[in-house]
Amino acid sequence: MDCIFCKIINGEIPKEFDYESDSLVVFPDINPSADLHLLIVPKKHIGGIRDIGENSGNLLAEVYQTVNQLVKDHNLSDNLYRVVLNGGKAQHVPHLHFHLLGGNWKRMV
Ligand code: AMP
Ligand code: ZN
């Protein structure tokens, strides 16, 4: 499949992961919109928010637990951070992913 995030996940495009589990990977956004800009990307190809099914509960819980761990690792608890999921025309890579933005940000993602 011609999906850039699938290629990153299967190693076709080399990328160092900040974190990896059986079901997701975390790597820095190539064009950061904030001091810290990480992408949390499920390994399974899910196109976007509209493709999240009723069996996605465990995956979504793991995404937010991973966010909490990253927030701790980067000492963001008392700083500014937010999680963004773009959909529709705001989404540019058609593989479900969550942005974690921390510190000062430069623009909307
Ligand atoms: P979105 O608009 O929510 O689909 O965001 C896609 C994000 O993926 C953008 O912030 C891009 O900068 C980022 N991105 C695209 N290609 C890569 C890549 N090869 N490695 C890391 N981040 C990427
Ligand atoms: Zn994909």
Side-chain angles (χ1 to χ4, degrees):
M1 196 195 302
D2 197 25
C3 167
I4 188 165
F5 284 179
C6 280
K7 286 181 179 167
I8 288 172
I9 288 156
N10 70 25
E12 221 175 304
I13 297 176
K15 180 75 76 182
E16 211 169 296
F17 298 140
D18 289 34
Y19 175 74
E20 177 173 11
S21 76
D22 287 345
S23 33
L24 58 81
V25 295
V26 177
F27 55 84
D29 195 291
I30 208 166
N31 183 23
S33 296
D35 291 341
L36 179 78
H37 187 168
L38 298 174
L39 299 175
I40 297 113
V41 187
K43 286 185 174 174
K44 185 177 168 204
H45 183 91
I46 299 169
I49 186 168
R50 66 169 71 114
D51 304 304
I52 291 176
E54 57 188 28
N55 295 324
S56 303
N58 287 345
L59 175 64
L60 294 176
E62 188 182 339
V63 166
Y64 286 103
Q65 283 161 353
T66 302
V67 165
N68 284 337
Q69 188 59 50
L70 293 165
V71 164
K72 273 190 203 152
D73 293 347
H74 292 274
N75 295 313
L76 288 172
S77 302
D78 297 322
N79 203 327
L80 302 168
Y81 68 92
R82 62 187 172 135
V83 180
V84 174
L85 166 54
N86 286 325
K89 290 186 175 161
Q91 183 186 1
H92 298 95
V93 174
H95 178 130
L96 182 69
H97 56 279
F98 300 76
H99 302 252
L100 171 61
L101 298 136
N104 296 310
W105 42 81
K106 300 158 186 156
R107 64 182 98 85
M108 283 275 286
V109 292

